[in-house]
Amino acid sequence: MKEHIQSVRGMRDILPEEASTREILFVQTAAVLKSFGYQPIELPILERTPLFKRAVGEETDIVSKEMYTFLDRNEESLTLRPEATAGVVRAMIEQGLLQNVQRLYTAGAMFRYEKPQQGRYRQFTQISVETFGLPAPAVDGELMQIGHNIFTALGIRDHLTLEINTLGVMDERLTFQKDLIAYLNQHKDALDADSIRRLETNPLRILDSKDEGVKNCLKNAPVLWDYLGEESRAHFAHMQEMLDAMGIAYQVNPYLVRGLDYYCHAVFEWTTTALGAQGTVCAGGRYDGLVEKLGGKATPAAGFAFGMERILQLKEQIAPYTQKNPDIYVLAGSLKEQAYAMRFTQVLRTAFPSLTIVAHNDFQALKRQFKKADQAKAHFALVFGEQELATQTAMLKDLTTGTQQALSLEALTDYLKKEIL
Ligand code: HAM
């Protein structure tokens, strides 16, 4: 036997049961987004590498350690997208769509070369939500409202905490960063190896270190809030007013910084304690400077993304989706009876598009076919045997009660209308 070629580490096969729940999750999410006037957009999975370097930031973990980057046959460096925002901004500029306000969402595979573990994959699926052209803090509030409504619709809202923070604007952050570096340099012996490395590359990320020693050391460190000007403070205060007005609970976490460089002002994360180390299920914020940084005209923008896998893991723990069993399982013996069954069920399929009608479609004894109908947990078996063909009927057996009746197509249609619709 030939050697079996296995899938790539960190990339999962999503089997029918899980794939079905993902489909429902997507439909529920899209329904909430549509109710806010957001529209779908689909973008390439591959982008030119400099796009992510410039947007996400050279020194971030994502760009420096986690990208799937390769040269194509034309020797051009391309990258499998590690996140969606950079591509959406690229498309907005390239397609000239920034004259108007945009409210968009996009779903698809993202790729990060991380250490695979529960809730962390090398290929995962994000639903990303992005807005362009709206500077008001109401937009930040709306993005959190959308998250709140999606998670409420999914029945997991009560198991999530909304954490918010403000990163102010670049100048404020740079002054703060200078003082933070000076302070941390004086307390280098309290830092772990990761934070010492970050001191050189990405000092703000030290703020969300999980190391207890580092956390302690940060207690006396300069605080970004003290460096924020009037405008930044007002933006954050107004955003909180929006959340208060909607009755959406949140916690201010002054140590919340994001792993991507493009944010300013409001940032937020939806977290849970139910998923162990990968507790952030959704995250985002404002990124007013990014369009300009990628060559477009300055445009306010904000958004968020959630990982479908983490949301589904949480949902699985709290209120799992139930699988839909077939409504009708179709049994037929001979070739002729199968053709008759197909003609019959074609009418049913058209009349009842929401029913799941599964045809056995194999030549086996009816007893065996009934067994399959039971295994499939179908509500009804619809039998097409010699007798039924001769009388132009079908035998409908309710597998939950065991009762059965021979019905003409018309009688069956009436029965189904009354009984299960
Ligand atoms: P992010 O925080 O890098 O933000 O990712 C957002 C979400 O994607 C995370 O909260 C998590 O649920 C999921 N995620 C990230 N990495 C993995 C992984 N390796 N395995 C499974 N799930 C993962 C962004 O990507 C930003 N583009 C969000 C955004 C949109 N900001 C503004 N607009």
Side-chain angles (χ1 to χ4, degrees):
M1 239 181 12
K2 291 243 170 78
E3 187 202 350
H4 166 62
I5 299 168
Q6 301 220 319
S7 65
V8 178
R9 190 164 128 81
M11 309 214 171
R12 300 175 325 120
D13 298 320
I14 296 164
L15 302 182
E17 198 171 313
E18 187 184 349
S20 307
T21 61
R22 287 162 64 100
E23 224 171 58
I24 304 170
L25 172 79
F26 177 73
V27 170
Q28 285 182 302
T29 302
V32 173
L33 287 161
K34 285 191 169 79
S35 78
F36 282 83
Y38 285 63
Q39 293 182 304
I41 182 167
E42 291 184 38
L43 298 170
I45 285 173
L46 273 181
E47 296 278 1
R48 293 175 206 266
T49 304
L51 176 71
F52 301 112
K53 288 195 174 170
R54 220 194 293 173
V56 178
E58 299 252 16
E59 302 296 350
T60 59
D61 283 354
I62 295 177
V63 170
S64 66
K65 296 197 284 203
E66 296 169 1
M67 293 211 300
Y68 280 88
T69 297
F70 61 95
L71 292 179
D72 73 358
R73 288 174 193 275
N74 204 21
E75 300 282 299
E76 181 171 17
S77 178
L78 301 179
T79 294
L80 283 170
R81 61 182 179 193
E83 60 101 54
T85 310
V88 176
V89 174
R90 194 246 340 117
M92 290 299 103
I93 299 169
E94 198 168 326
Q95 305 301 332
L97 295 175
L98 293 169
Q99 321 314 342
N100 301 315
V101 167
Q102 298 289 342
R103 298 179 179 84
L104 304 165
Y105 65 92
T106 188
M110 307 292 148
F111 302 84
R112 294 184 193 176
Y113 195 84
E114 293 195 81
K115 193 159 174 248
Q117 52 184 260
Q118 177 76 340
R120 192 199 273 166
Y121 310 102
R122 290 182 173 173
Q123 178 177 335
F124 57 100
T125 311
Q126 274 186 355
I127 297 187
S128 293
V129 180
E130 316 288 357
T131 65
F132 295 92
L134 297 165
V139 177
D140 310 71
E142 178 174 282
L143 290 168
M144 287 176 249
Q145 184 187 18
I146 291 174
H148 171 90
N149 288 10
I150 291 171
F151 302 140
T152 303
L154 297 176
I156 57 173
R157 170 64 181 99
D158 292 348
H159 300 262
L160 291 170
T161 304
L162 172 60
E163 297 181 39
I164 64 171
N165 191 21
T166 175
L167 299 180
V169 292
M170 186 62 91
D171 283 351
E172 295 161 349
R173 237 174 14 249
L174 285 178
T175 321
F176 163 68
Q177 188 165 300
K178 232 171 55 208
D179 287 1
L180 180 70
I181 294 173
Y183 170 86
L184 292 173
N185 268 324
Q186 281 164 16
H187 298 82
K188 239 180 173 165
D189 44 349
L191 301 184
D192 63 344
D194 209 33
S195 299
I196 289 175
R197 184 180 57 80
R198 287 205 156 123
L199 207 46
E200 301 295 321
T201 57
N202 204 349
L204 281 186
R205 292 285 341 248
I206 299 174
L207 292 182
D208 73 350
S209 167
K210 304 284 175 276
D211 182 88
E212 285 306 322
V214 177
K215 277 189 187 169
N216 255 333
C217 171
L218 285 172
K219 282 183 186 150
N220 298 316
V223 181
L224 177 55
W225 182 255
D226 295 336
Y227 293 76
L228 299 186
E230 269 314 298
E231 217 176 295
S232 291
R233 288 180 182 213
H235 190 283
F236 194 52
H238 290 142
M239 193 191 81
Q240 289 179 69
E241 276 168 36
M242 307 289 159
L243 292 172
D244 293 338
M246 291 183 283
I248 295 178
Y250 58 90
Q251 285 173 11
V252 177
N253 173 1
Y255 297 111
L256 173 61
V257 284
R258 304 272 300 119
L260 305 93
D261 280 355
Y262 47 63
Y263 293 105
C264 62
H265 291 303
V267 287
F268 57 93
E269 291 190 351
W270 293 88
T271 59
T272 175
T273 49
L275 294 179
Q278 310 310 322
T280 304
V281 296
C282 175
R286 186 162 274 286
Y287 53 92
D288 289 344
L290 185 58
V291 175
E292 204 174 9
K293 202 170 175 192
L294 293 180
K297 70 171 176 50
T299 308
F304 71 85
F306 67 76
M308 246 190 180
E309 290 79 6
R310 290 187 196 171
I311 291 288
L312 269 178
Q313 270 161 18
L314 185 62
K315 173 115 185 79
E316 199 55 37
Q317 282 187 29
I318 292 156
Y321 286 115
T322 46
Q323 293 290 316
K324 186 180 186 300
N325 300 323
D327 297 293
I328 298 176
Y329 195 91
V330 179
L331 291 70
S334 68
L335 205 57
K336 261 192 187 159
E337 288 154 11
Q338 285 185 359
Y340 172 51
M342 279 196 153
R343 184 156 56 82
F344 208 99
T345 51
Q346 179 58 4
V347 177
L348 293 184
R349 288 183 197 284
T350 314
F352 305 104
S354 65
L355 292 190
T356 305
I357 303 174
V358 177
H360 183 77
N361 281 348
D362 199 358
F363 299 113
Q364 278 160 341
L366 286 184
K367 202 171 156 200
R368 185 85 192 274
Q369 297 193 31
F370 267 116
K371 210 166 167 188
K372 286 283 173 202
D374 279 333
Q375 280 170 359
K377 299 199 172 77
H379 186 173
F380 293 103
L382 192 60
V383 187
F384 297 86
E386 258 175 66
Q387 171 82 14
E388 285 77 21
L389 182 56
T391 55
Q392 291 293 292
T393 58
M395 178 70 76
L396 183 74
K397 180 171 181 183
D398 188 327
L399 296 173
T400 59
T401 61
T403 53
Q404 58 181 48
Q405 51 187 325
L407 297 167
S408 67
L409 182 53
E410 207 184 346
L412 177 63
T413 309
D414 285 347
Y415 179 83
L416 291 176
K417 265 190 199 143
K418 269 197 255 122
E419 289 302 307
I420 52 176
L421 284 189

